[in-house]
Amino acid sequence: MIRRFFAIFLFLITSQVLIAQVYNSSLIDWNFGKSIPNIQGLNGSFIGVHNNVLIFAGGANFEKTALIDGGEKIWHDVIYVLEDQEDWKVQEVKLPRKLADGVSIDTPYGVLCIGGSNADGIYKDVFLLKWDKSKNKIEIENLAPMPLPLAYMAGDKIGDIVYVLGGQKKVDGGATRSFLSFNFSQELLKKSGEWKVLSEFPGAARNYPIVVAQSNGHEDCLYVFSGTNFDPTASITHQMLYDVYEYHPLTKKWNEKASVPNNGTPNLIGGFIGAAPAIKMGDSHILLFGGAGGEKQPLSIRMGVHNEIRKIENLKDQNDEIKDKLNSLKEKEKRLIEETSFSKTIWAYHTITNTWAIKGELPDSTQVVTKALEWMGNIVIPGGEIRPGIRTSKVLIGKIKAHKPNFGVVNYITLIVYLLLMVLIGWYFSRKNRTTDDYFLGGGRIPWWAAGLSIYATMLSAITYLSQPALAYSFDWQAYLGYFTILMVAPFVIIFYLPFFRKLNVTTAYEYLEKRFNIAVRMFGSTSFVLFQMVRMGIVVYLPALALSTAIGIDIYLAITAMGILAILYTFMGGMEAVVWTDVLQLFILLGGLIIGLIYIAIDIGDVGYIYSTAFEDGKLQMLDLRFSFTEVVTWSLFFGSFALTLIPYTTDQTIVQRYMTTSSEKEAKKSIWLNGIIALPMGLLIFSMGTFLYVYFKEHPEYLMVGMKNDSVFPLFITDHLPAGIAGLVIAGIFSASMSSLDSSMHSVSTVVTVDYFKRFSKKYSEAKGFRVAKWTTVAAGIFGTLIACIMATFPVKSLFFLFQEVIGLFGSAIAGIFILGIFIKKANWVGTLLGAGLSIIVIVFVKYSTPINFYIYPLIAIPVCVISGFIFSLVFKTNEDKNINHLVYSKRKLEK
């Protein structure tokens, strides 16, 4: 029987590993939407979405006679709109002139249309196409023109800044290296918005480049792909390009990136994807659909022949020999037109690893000189050119296929067993809960080492475990500096804060504030904590839920709800002891997951030295950025900001302070704080090493990356798709538990604060029995609220949840940290001055957040000093009549009174 069970288990593990190696390269399900009303089709049109309406305007075609038969290009000014994928509607209003081959960019104000050309020349016009919902029609608003006319260029926007690159200034001129920018929001707000001529693009001059804005893991950058270098004076007039460049708006620097790969075409160095539709997907992918010149080379040759024909036709004297040559060239051009094909390959370029992967093929003739855009949850490619001179009216609609995780039976069993174990722990400790002291503080029965591990596990949370590897994977090691501040904060807490909390025998940290000041300050502290924990609960549940939905394919709202219910259940039953011991268990599970993952990648790559050398060469191991900047995350702001952000929870947060009180003595509490600080550095080393290993792993295997994924999902994606069955389930269970650990800590602490600081403090009929009931049901209510907030957060895109979490701490915790500093260190601080200082601190930090570009690490460095300094000054100005002795409540070099 045992042998049979083992055989089945081994089969499940083996099959799981085999399944994990199968990757379907077909990324998109395609179908066709309503065709554009122009039967011959159009290319070079202005295309975009405004107010959920698809707009298609202008364009050019060979309406009367085909190009292959010597037809002439016809330009158009008609505007079509499509609502809800029903029928295209022709608008009464038309473009200012017949126009094609400009740039169109979606903005909140409308579709921004820039430049373009027609039979009469090239233009520098700029205007908005706006869909007026109330009037059910298109409106046109003219904006500041470009400083020079351009056509056949490309562009995109980063924030409020539009960038335009390449193109031609004259019909008979060559391609340019033009690079322009425009702040469209300033223009629309009637401020100083104007076009700027930037330093020229460093690569070759080009027409029909592909320009897409996407994040590189650190900041939004501009990516330039391929294009055609047209020079009518050169012997080879058209040179197809395959290079790639990245532009950093903050530093204004260009970097050359990995060229477009050659997709199997003989005698070619790289792939040519000029004029291809492209779109950014997720946090770090760019999809490129086909492109001109991809499979065969007649296109570039034909363009050279075409220009030679134009030169001969412009000659005044044409003898028989010249006429024969002209006819021969026209026959050659006709043959080349027939032979020219466009690439059908769908490429995925990953901005972080700088790698390319093929993600299938287009289902029909490739459309170029058009645009790909997101509309109603789909990728839409309308119109364009499918062969030289042949336009199309088709509208291709694609839907990204849902990721099919390989979680498997064994992993599900492991996950379910682990979660049941959490509930059993809660049930076990429920038998020991008889009083509020048992429920809130574990009856002082928690050993120091368990309390220390619980402190670290609470601060670790799933946010750190998932998003910090994602930081090292997508950015570098700068955030690792924050771990050193935990050791720096530990002695500060032990010397200055712990004695007050222990010797005053408080249950909540905010009881101290009433003893030191008055009830108003205590209520301010308690209320601030409760509000912060509500936001915190939402964040710490949302991230793992996102990871779980990515990893095992369950609905994100179902994952959030499941975590909320389970955490409520075992915390409701087991109280603080259940919280601490589940923290300890999940910490060991998460540590094991890191070690196993690192070993797996090291074996797969085969050389740990190669992993670190590759990461070093790509700048992924950088830990110091010695620039002085208030807007970017650099070393000075990160280090000092991390110190302040670490100080806030360790000195004011009930979830941490409560653990100081669970040990049997102050001496044991000190040990727990030191243990927490000591284990932080090696644990951080493993976490950031995992991010580095993931970077090199996916750089070697870009096909494994899920297109459209968030960077924070990279670790769970690796866990479920690549770790052996059972191990993956256990680590995912650990992530599940880490989230619930942070959630249970918040729920339990909110319950403690509400019960002690509100119910016990103000109820005249308080009893242990009533307090115990209030504590348990407040735990349930807090868990429900936290779960609901997490569901709301799931609807908002967040680039880095770790940075969001740090920002929330800075915004919510700075004032209360300042209050504790005033209380403990400044004897002259009174309750009026302290509250006024806290209020001013909040006002200042809200102004900084919404009115300045200062980075969030600096928030507490501003807010805490503002609270302390202004609180002291206000206390001197607004005297109060306080007759109580506060000597034992303020720090001095003398020992605290016993």
Side-chain angles (χ1 to χ4, degrees):
M1 185 71 179
I2 295 174
R3 203 176 280 176
R4 183 180 300 173
F5 175 80
F6 180 75
I8 293 171
F9 186 77
L10 186 63
F11 168 75
L12 288 170
I13 290 178
T14 306
S15 62
Q16 174 72 12
V17 173
L18 290 174
I19 290 170
Q21 303 308 312
V22 178
Y23 289 85
N24 185 359
S25 62
S26 179
L27 175 69
I28 303 172
D29 285 325
W30 294 102
N31 58 67
F32 295 97
K34 296 285 185 180
S35 295
I36 299 159
N38 188 299
I39 298 173
Q40 284 78 20
L42 295 161
N43 82 340
S45 303
F46 297 103
I47 305 168
V49 173
H50 184 232
N51 285 333
N52 209 33
V53 169
L54 182 61
I55 301 171
F56 189 98
N61 59 15
F62 292 85
E63 198 164 81
K64 297 179 180 179
T65 307
L67 171 65
I68 199 169
D69 296 321
E72 293 185 359
K73 185 186 288 188
I74 304 296
W75 283 263
H76 298 263
D77 57 7
V78 179
I79 301 174
Y80 305 101
V81 298
L82 184 63
E83 292 184 88
D84 301 322
Q85 298 186 21
E86 294 177 351
D87 288 313
W88 289 93
K89 297 176 182 177
V90 180
Q91 295 295 292
E92 291 183 8
V93 63
K94 297 182 184 297
L95 294 180
R97 56 168 57 91
K98 295 180 178 182
L99 209 57
D101 296 312
V103 172
S104 51
I105 299 170
D106 287 358
T107 77
Y109 311 101
V111 180
L112 188 65
C113 302
I114 305 167
S117 67
N118 60 25
D120 298 323
I122 294 177
Y123 299 90
K124 54 184 178 181
D125 300 355
V126 179
F127 54 89
L128 273 174
L129 296 178
K130 303 185 292 186
W131 177 251
D132 190 316
K133 285 184 177 180
S134 60
K135 298 178 181 177
N136 213 35
K137 69 175 185 178
I138 287 286
E139 292 183 345
I140 299 177
E141 179 180 351
N142 291 313
L143 301 179
M146 289 188 291
L148 67 160
L150 282 174
Y152 319 116
M153 67 294 198
D156 205 346
K157 66 178 175 67
I158 298 176
D160 288 344
I161 308 297
V162 164
Y163 295 92
V164 173
L165 185 141
Q168 283 180 226
K169 293 189 288 186
K170 299 178 181 178
V171 173
D172 57 351
T176 71
R177 296 161 59 208
S178 301
F179 189 38
L180 313 175
S181 71
F182 176 62
N183 190 323
F184 63 88
S185 66
Q186 286 187 351
E187 166 68 15
L188 290 170
L189 293 171
K190 306 303 179 187
K191 294 184 179 178
S192 59
E194 61 180 14
W195 284 92
K196 294 181 180 179
V197 179
L198 305 177
S199 298
E200 285 193 332
F201 173 64
R206 62 196 63 207
N207 288 338
Y208 299 113
I210 302 157
V211 176
V212 181
Q214 176 60 292
S215 172
N216 67 351
H218 178 207
E219 62 176 311
D220 287 336
C221 296
L222 207 65
Y223 290 87
V224 180
F225 305 87
S226 192
T228 305
N229 183 1
F230 170 53
D231 183 356
T233 64
S235 56
I236 301 176
T237 57
H238 285 75
Q239 180 187 4
M240 306 298 287
L241 305 171
Y242 52 85
D243 52 358
V244 179
Y245 285 84
E246 174 190 69
Y247 177 71
H248 296 253
L250 293 176
T251 60
K252 297 179 173 56
K253 292 182 179 178
W254 288 95
N255 292 321
E256 191 165 5
K257 310 301 286 187
S259 299
V260 182
N262 173 15
N263 187 21
T265 305
N267 303 319
L268 290 184
I269 299 174
F272 305 135
I273 54 173
I279 191 170
K280 74 174 183 179
M281 295 297 298
D283 283 353
S284 48
H285 269 107
I286 296 173
L287 287 182
L288 303 103
F289 303 94
E295 264 78 43
K296 297 182 181 180
Q297 280 308 287
L299 181 63
S300 58
I301 301 171
R302 183 190 72 79
M303 295 306 295
V305 171
H306 179 73
N307 284 312
E308 196 171 349
I309 290 171
R310 288 176 60 189
K311 289 177 182 177
I312 293 174
E313 286 179 336
N314 289 332
L315 293 175
K316 294 181 179 179
D317 299 320
Q318 295 190 1
N319 54 35
D320 291 340
E321 184 179 348
I322 292 175
K323 289 179 181 178
D324 289 341
K325 183 179 180 180
L326 181 61
N327 291 331
S328 175
L329 286 171
K330 287 183 176 180
E331 285 297 319
K332 184 177 181 180
E333 182 184 31
K334 187 173 182 179
R335 185 176 71 254
L336 290 169
I337 289 172
E338 292 173 340
E339 293 176 358
T340 297
S341 66
F342 297 154
S343 169
K344 297 182 70 173
T345 302
I346 301 174
W347 285 106
Y349 174 73
H350 191 243
T351 59
I352 291 172
T353 57
N354 188 31
T355 54
W356 294 83
I358 294 175
K359 293 297 180 180
E361 289 191 345
L362 291 164
D364 198 22
S365 303
T366 301
Q367 297 159 254
V368 299
V369 198
T370 184
K371 185 177 177 181
L373 64 163
E374 187 175 354
W375 182 51
M376 300 182 68
N378 298 309
I379 297 171
V380 181
I381 305 176
E385 181 175 342
I386 57 174
R387 292 275 298 279
I390 301 176
R391 285 22 175 183
T392 182
S393 60
K394 71 180 180 182
V395 177
L396 193 60
I397 299 178
K399 187 80 172 178
I400 298 285
K401 293 180 181 178
H403 175 65
K404 294 181 179 179
N406 303 306
F407 202 57
V409 177
V410 174
N411 285 329
Y412 275 113
I413 293 172
T414 307
L415 175 60
I416 292 169
V417 169
Y418 185 91
L419 295 178
L420 288 175
L421 179 61
M422 296 295 102
V423 177
L424 285 174
I425 290 174
W427 172 79
Y428 174 79
F429 286 109
S430 67
R431 299 176 301 169
K432 297 185 178 183
N433 288 325
R434 295 291 180 265
T435 66
T436 53
D437 182 63
D438 291 328
Y439 193 74
F440 293 146
L441 303 176
R445 296 183 293 266
I446 306 296
W448 66 268
W449 59 267
L453 295 177
S454 178
I455 290 171
Y456 181 74
T458 298
M459 294 305 296
L460 171 67
S461 79
I463 292 178
T464 306
Y465 191 73
L466 295 182
S467 63
Q468 285 197 344
L471 276 180
Y473 151 83
S474 62
F475 188 21
D476 57 26
W477 275 54
Q478 287 189 60
Y480 181 61
L481 293 172
Y483 281 87
F484 290 90
T485 64
I486 299 175
L487 268 180
M488 294 171 62
V489 165
F492 195 77
V493 172
I494 289 170
I495 295 170
F496 300 114
Y497 286 81
L498 182 62
F500 289 99
F501 297 135
R502 291 290 309 196
K503 294 185 179 183
L504 293 174
N505 195 28
V506 296
T507 302
T508 75
Y510 315 107
E511 288 181 79
Y512 164 77
L513 295 180
E514 181 176 3
K515 294 176 185 294
R516 171 64 177 86
F517 296 110
N518 66 4
I519 185 62
V521 181
R522 179 181 180 178
M523 290 299 99
F524 179 89
S526 300
T527 304
S528 298
F529 170 78
V530 171
L531 292 175
F532 165 67
Q533 289 302 322
M534 289 299 159
V535 178
R536 180 181 188 270
M537 282 191 279
I539 296 173
V540 299
V541 174
Y542 164 60
L543 174 58
L546 175 64
L548 289 168
S549 65
T550 300
I552 62 179
I554 65 174
D555 181 77
I556 187 170
Y557 297 102
L558 177 61
I560 290 171
T561 304
M563 282 189 286
I565 291 173
L566 286 169
I568 291 169
L569 185 60
Y570 73 73
T571 307
F572 176 83
M573 291 190 297
M576 176 53 78
E577 283 188 286
V579 169
V580 169
W581 289 109
T582 53
D583 283 353
V584 172
L585 178 60
Q586 62 92 1
L587 184 60
F588 282 107
I589 296 294
L590 296 180
L591 175 62
L594 285 171
I595 294 171
I596 292 170
L598 291 170
I599 292 172
Y600 180 95
I601 294 176
I603 293 172
D604 182 90
I605 301 297
D607 185 352
V608 174
Y610 171 78
I611 293 174
Y612 281 106
S613 63
T614 300
F616 179 78
E617 290 171 6
D618 293 352
K620 291 295 178 179
L621 298 182
Q622 180 179 336
M623 197 179 294
L624 298 176
D625 185 346
L626 300 179
R627 293 177 299 147
F628 190 79
S629 173
F630 285 93
T631 58
E632 297 179 72
V633 177
V634 292
T635 299
W636 78 268
S637 63
L638 187 148
F639 185 78
F640 291 110
S642 293
F643 179 84
L645 290 170
T646 303
L647 182 69
I648 290 170
Y650 279 88
T651 58
T652 69
D653 193 319
Q654 177 64 20
T655 58
I656 304 301
V657 173
Q658 196 164 346
R659 279 156 177 76
Y660 302 160
M661 312 301 293
T662 60
T663 58
S664 59
S665 67
E666 183 177 334
K667 181 180 179 181
E668 299 290 284
K670 290 178 181 179
K671 289 181 183 178
S672 69
I673 295 171
W674 276 120
L675 176 63
N676 161 73
I678 290 168
I679 65 174
L681 289 179
M683 192 70 177
L685 191 66
L686 288 174
I687 287 172
F688 275 79
S689 292
M690 174 54 71
T692 298
F693 276 49
L694 287 171
Y695 169 76
V696 177
Y697 181 78
F698 285 113
K699 187 179 178 73
E700 294 291 310
H701 303 291
E703 68 277 10
Y704 292 165
L705 286 164
M706 186 178 70
V707 174
M709 65 181 279
K710 296 182 72 65
N711 292 335
D712 283 322
S713 297
V714 68
F715 189 21
L717 177 72
F718 165 77
I719 291 168
T720 54
D721 279 2
H722 301 284
L723 287 185
I727 300 297
L730 192 60
V731 178
I732 289 295
I735 295 171
F736 210 117
S737 180
S739 175
M740 293 191 299
S741 168
S742 299
L743 179 60
D744 64 33
S745 296
S746 293
M747 286 190 305
H748 192 269
S749 297
V750 168
S751 170
T752 305
V753 168
V754 170
T755 304
V756 175
D757 288 349
Y758 291 90
F759 182 65
K760 183 178 180 179
R761 175 65 178 77
F762 294 106
S763 175
K764 296 180 180 179
K765 298 180 179 180
Y766 177 83
S767 67
E768 277 295 309
K770 288 182 180 179
F772 192 52
R773 287 196 300 271
V774 168
K776 284 201 159 192
W777 289 109
T778 304
T779 298
V780 174
I784 291 172
F785 274 110
T787 303
L788 289 174
I789 291 171
C791 290
I792 294 170
M793 286 185 173
T795 63
F796 296 98
V798 179
K799 285 189 176 179
S800 171
L801 278 163
F802 175 74
F803 282 162
L804 171 65
F805 187 55
Q806 298 292 72
E807 183 176 329
V808 169
I809 293 175
L811 287 171
F812 279 82
S814 296
I816 191 67
I819 288 175
F820 272 90
I821 290 172
L822 282 165
I824 291 175
F825 297 104
I826 300 178
K827 188 174 181 180
K828 291 186 177 181
N830 60 39
W831 73 271
V832 174
T834 297
L835 286 179
L836 288 174
L840 180 62
S841 172
I842 293 170
I843 293 170
V844 168
I845 203 62
V846 169
F847 172 80
V848 169
K849 158 82 175 165
Y850 292 103
S851 302
T852 74
I854 290 176
N855 87 72
F856 61 87
Y857 273 111
I858 302 177
Y859 292 173
L861 299 178
I862 295 172
I864 294 176
V866 166
C867 180
V868 173
I869 295 171
S870 65
F872 175 65
I873 295 172
F874 284 135
S875 295
L876 296 178
V877 173
F878 300 100
K879 301 286 186 178
T880 59
N881 296 320
E882 294 182 355
D883 56 0
K884 62 182 179 180
N885 180 13
I886 62 170
N887 288 332
H888 67 296
L889 300 172
V890 180
Y891 176 79
S892 68
K893 292 183 179 180
R894 296 186 300 273
K895 289 185 177 180
L896 293 170
E897 293 180 9
K898 293 184 179 180

